[in-house]
Amino acid sequence: MTYEEALQRIQNTVTFGAKPGLRRIRALAQRMGNPQNRLRVVHITGTNGKGSTAAMTAAVLRAAGYRVGLFVSPYVDDFRERIQLDGQLIPKEDLTAEVENLLPHIDALREQGFHHPTQFEMETAMAFSYFARKHCDFAVIEAGVGGTGDCTNIVTTTEAAVLTSISLDHTAALGPTVAAIAAEKSGIIKPGCAVVLTPHQPEEVMQVVRDAAARQNAGLTIPDMDAVEVLSRSLTESQIRYRGVDLRIPLAGEYQIRNAVTAFEVCRGLAARGYHVTDAAIAAGIAAAYMPGRFERVKDAPLCVLDGGHNPGAIDALCRNLDETLNGRRLIVVMGMFADKDYTGCVGKVADRAQVFIATSSGQPRSQEARTLAEIARRHCGEAYWNAEVGAAVRQAMALAKPDDVVLVCGSIYNIAPARAAFRAI
């Protein structure tokens, strides 16, 4: 099997499937020897911020000298971003080997009457297998959707359960209120593990997580934002002092400060459990963290930024960052969103801050038409256009931009790869 064939085999599978629950992934993992049980796990869930928090936590543990697996979703440019070892993408030959190892187990389960695993179940099983085979000291695992019923939740060796910012998203699967969503996500908390909850959340979220941690006799830590001293902030990074430790956060936005102190408390919690994670390693790891598509700077003069936030919570955080750091610079926005998201509200908020707005589409089946987004934007921005292809929209934005302007591509993670390619070609 070639790498291309292996990748096609994964991506031709239904992403999440119609039958929730852990029965299928547990059966698959058992056939594979339960590799997840040979890992020390930092398990991370939330609506927004879990990818960045996972990246920072993994980088700290690497800086502390540990061998670290990282499983995140979705990917931006390369499928292999999903499964990383010590900051490197899984090699193509290893991913191919994991697929070849997985397929006979899938065939055997189907003969027993199981439905075919979903794409995410396959990816999760491969990540656990790869990390166990490579003898990782830690596996930092980002949940897909939810917590209790998420297929990553077959882990039993959780050292830390982390809940980042929780807001309304995937309500059909997780529940109609933030309290219901928090209850579902709190299912990753295991008996006696450390628990860290990102601060500044609705009180009903805080209470649900407090109760869930208490039921599992798990110690809960909530970072203290009053202990944060902001030393400097720009459109692309922040410098803070937290609990006496100076931190450079190369991921921009006030929300990334919250994610950074969440990762800080996770690693302090691991240190309290006997792992050798020093404050120096925490500072070094956070400074080295990289997450594509999270207010990522890709070009200067004009400053060009990519952001994959796609729900109201992420767009609110993006807008706060713009409000606090643009300092009067002209903003040109290229934005495309999925039709099943709150595109009316999100487009309106971003367009309110733009001098030029160019609506676009990533071309995915769920994408909203660019013309529709442009019509919404015109109610908020005096200069609004539409261009149905992301790369063409980026080129249009750059043709209008002056050296001191900011060009922002946002609205969906699926806009990032074509936009990055367009910026590289300019």
Side-chain angles (χ1 to χ4, degrees), residues 165-221:
S165 177
I166 294 173
S167 59
L168 293 176
D169 201 14
H170 300 291
T171 52
L174 304 180
T177 66
V178 291
I181 293 171
E184 166 65 22
K185 292 181 183 292
S186 295
I188 70 167
I189 299 173
K190 298 299 189 296
C193 74
V195 182
V196 180
L197 173 65
T198 294
H200 288 187
Q201 308 225 37
E203 178 54 34
E204 56 265 44
V205 169
M206 310 288 272
Q207 192 57 55
V208 165
V209 177
R210 288 190 198 103
D211 292 345
R215 286 194 299 271
Q216 298 288 8
N217 194 30
L220 172 63
T221 300

Side-chain angles (χ1 to χ4, degrees), residues 195-274:
V195 182
V196 180
L197 173 65
T198 294
H200 288 187
Q201 308 225 37
E203 178 54 34
E204 56 265 44
V205 169
M206 310 288 272
Q207 192 57 55
V208 165
V209 177
R210 288 190 198 103
D211 292 345
R215 286 194 299 271
Q216 298 288 8
N217 194 30
L220 172 63
T221 300
I222 302 173
D224 180 9
M225 294 304 292
D226 290 336
V228 173
E229 179 185 357
V230 178
L231 305 177
S232 67
R233 280 194 59 197
S234 73
L235 269 167
T236 54
E237 70 171 39
S238 300
Q239 303 259 1
I240 69 169
R241 183 171 295 129
Y242 182 67
R243 301 199 188 281
V245 181
D246 286 357
L247 303 173
R248 185 181 76 83
I249 307 166
L251 306 172
E254 187 273 337
Y255 56 98
Q256 294 293 8
I257 295 177
R258 294 199 303 274
N259 293 336
V261 298
T262 299
F264 181 103
E265 295 292 3
V266 171
C267 296
R268 275 272 185 99
L270 293 173
R273 294 170 75 87

Side-chain angles (χ1 to χ4, degrees), residues 5 14 18 41 59-60 68 73 95 109 119 122 147 152-153 155 157-158 183 185 198 257 316 344 358 391 401 420:
E5 290 169 339
V14 174
V41 173
V60 169
V68 184
S73 62
L95 186 140
L109 288 175
Q119 178 179 329
M122 292 175 67
T152 62
N153 204 33
V155 297
T157 53
T158 303
K185 292 181 183 292
T198 294
I257 295 177
D316 285 345
T344 300
I358 304 171
R420 192 195 307 281

Side-chain angles (χ1 to χ4, degrees), residues 95-387:
L95 186 140
T96 302
E98 291 297 341
V99 172
E100 289 176 333
N101 175 60
L102 188 65
L103 294 180
H105 298 301
I106 292 174
D107 291 341
L109 288 175
R110 295 190 71 186
E111 288 178 3
Q112 295 174 26
F114 284 88
H115 288 274
H116 193 290
T118 64
Q119 178 179 329
F120 190 66
E121 287 170 338
M122 292 175 67
E123 293 161 353
T124 300
M126 290 190 298
F128 288 149
S129 172
Y130 180 63
F131 296 155
R133 184 163 58 84
K134 293 297 184 178
H135 305 289
C136 287
D137 298 309
F138 283 98
V140 179
I141 304 294
E142 179 187 340
V145 176
T148 300
D150 190 84
C151 72
T152 62
N153 204 33
I154 62 171
V155 297
T156 58
T157 53
T158 303
E159 292 286 340
V162 188
L163 295 97
T164 63
S165 177
I166 294 173
S167 59
L168 293 176
D169 201 14
H170 300 291
T171 52
L174 304 180
T177 66
V178 291
I181 293 171
E184 166 65 22
K185 292 181 183 292
S186 295
I188 70 167
I189 299 173
K190 298 299 189 296
C193 74
V195 182
V196 180
L197 173 65
T198 294
H200 288 187
Q201 308 225 37
E203 178 54 34
E204 56 265 44
V205 169
M206 310 288 272
Q207 192 57 55
V208 165
V209 177
R210 288 190 198 103
D211 292 345
R215 286 194 299 271
Q216 298 288 8
N217 194 30
L220 172 63
T221 300
I222 302 173
D224 180 9
M225 294 304 292
D226 290 336
V228 173
E229 179 185 357
V230 178
L231 305 177
S232 67
R233 280 194 59 197
S234 73
L235 269 167
T236 54
E237 70 171 39
S238 300
Q239 303 259 1
I240 69 169
R241 183 171 295 129
Y242 182 67
R243 301 199 188 281
V245 181
D246 286 357
L247 303 173
R248 185 181 76 83
I249 307 166
L251 306 172
E254 187 273 337
Y255 56 98
Q256 294 293 8
I257 295 177
R258 294 199 303 274
N259 293 336
V261 298
T262 299
F264 181 103
E265 295 292 3
V266 171
C267 296
R268 275 272 185 99
L270 293 173
R273 294 170 75 87
Y275 297 104
H276 184 69
V277 184
T278 64
D279 287 348
I282 293 175
I286 289 176
Y290 169 69
M291 211 47 199
R294 273 65 168 186
F295 213 86
E296 177 192 0
R297 180 174 63 187
V298 293
K299 205 175 187 69
D300 293 307
L303 177 64
C304 300
V305 178
L306 305 174
D307 191 272
H310 58 270
N311 56 44
I315 294 298
D316 285 345
L318 169 64
C319 290
R320 285 196 300 272
N321 189 40
L322 294 171
D323 291 344
E324 294 165 5
T325 57
L326 269 177
N327 296 322
R329 297 172 74 173
R330 181 168 174 256
L331 178 64
I332 300 174
V333 170
V334 174
M335 188 172 186
M337 291 195 71
F338 279 177
D340 57 359
K341 300 297 181 181
D342 178 19
Y343 59 86
T344 300
C346 291
V347 166
K349 290 174 183 176
V350 176
D352 273 337
R353 292 158 172 83
Q355 282 68 55
V356 180
F357 189 102
I358 304 171
T360 191
S361 169
S362 63
Q364 300 292 316
R366 292 159 57 201
S367 295
Q368 181 53 275
E369 289 185 353
R371 187 193 298 267
T372 299
L373 301 183
E375 290 171 356
I376 296 166
R378 286 193 187 101
R379 305 170 200 159
H380 304 266
C381 177
E383 193 172 344
Y385 310 98
W386 64 275
N387 199 317

